Amino acid sequence: CDGGQHPVGRHQHRGKVRFAMKIARALCGAALAAALWTEAAADPIVLATREDLRGWEPVGQVAIGDSGFCTGVLIAGDLVLTAASCVITKDGTPVAADSIRFRAGLIEGVALAESRVRRTIVPRDYRWLDPVPTEMLRRDVALLELAEPVASSLIAPFAIALPAETGDFAAVAYDEGPVEAPALHDDCSL
């Protein structure tokens, strides 16, 4: 699919979703590392301007109705990678997809692109647990299928690939500081 210009057949779309979910599960090793580095990392840098955000535009806020938000990243014009714990309630009930919005590049209430979510895709074996055992962190992944794809001419999705075993990396998340500006954690390592 080239930026949403041509419709993707049902079979092709299922294959894309399966591939993205496999990559997402592999990336959860990085999520585990991120959970472990959070306490030791230096203070994050708030990305408060469009210039600060340059290169991180596919990262966005996943707004869950009036109840809160998580971070997500655009990995295809119509797919967002986020955490399963964002779209599954503590009692195991899925959050209604029509109550979720993805707001890419959100700063000060203005998003570069915004879309409703058509459906959520979560691993069958994911369970909301507190405290979260390490093996469940690897399953804390979800895909959001957007109702209105984001044109690649507006925001190029992040390329997805298997993570390295070790190395330095940066993470951007709507987690600290202003609710409507992401924070850059640039001193992370595996």
Side-chain angles (χ1 to χ4, degrees):
C1 183
D2 56 0
Q5 300 287 326
H6 303 284
V8 177
R10 182 174 291 263
H11 180 67
Q12 290 173 312
H13 188 71
R14 273 193 222 135
K16 180 171 79 168
V17 168
R18 276 193 215 111
F19 173 73
M21 190 56 88
K22 285 179 184 178
I23 294 296
R25 285 188 135 185
L27 290 172
C28 282
L32 173 59
L36 298 175
W37 61 255
T38 300
E39 289 183 33
D43 290 337
I45 302 163
V46 176
L47 305 179
T49 68
R50 290 283 166 225
E51 185 59 33
D52 294 342
L53 191 67
R54 189 178 308 272
W56 296 103
E57 294 89 350
V59 177
Q61 188 184 81
V62 176
I64 313 293
D66 295 330
S67 64
F69 63 90
C70 292
T71 302
V73 63
L74 191 68
I75 60 170
D78 63 343
L79 288 177
V80 172
L81 175 65
T82 191
S85 55
C86 294
V87 297
I88 300 291
T89 64
K90 290 181 182 183
D91 69 3
T93 307
V95 173
D98 62 1
S99 71
I100 305 169
R101 295 191 71 77
F102 177 64
R103 304 169 75 193
L106 178 70
I107 295 179
E108 306 262 340
V110 179
L112 295 173
E114 188 167 339
S115 178
R116 295 177 299 106
V117 171
R118 176 176 305 178
R119 72 177 173 140
T120 61
I121 304 162
V122 174
R124 287 186 182 105
D125 56 354
Y126 173 77
R127 301 291 176 267
W128 205 105
L129 300 172
D130 187 23
V132 181
T134 303
E135 61 274 6
M136 193 54 65
L137 276 177
R138 295 184 185 282
R139 295 173 181 86
D140 190 4
V141 63
L143 292 175
L144 310 178
E145 181 181 4
L146 300 179
E148 302 92 21
V150 175
S152 60
S153 60
L154 180 61
I155 298 176
F158 272 164
I160 54 176
L162 294 175
E165 292 293 321
T166 61
D168 296 334
F169 66 97
V172 171
Y174 290 83
D175 63 348
E176 296 186 33
V179 171
E180 294 186 336
L184 171 66
H185 303 266
D186 64 354
D187 58 349
C188 312
S189 61
L190 293 176

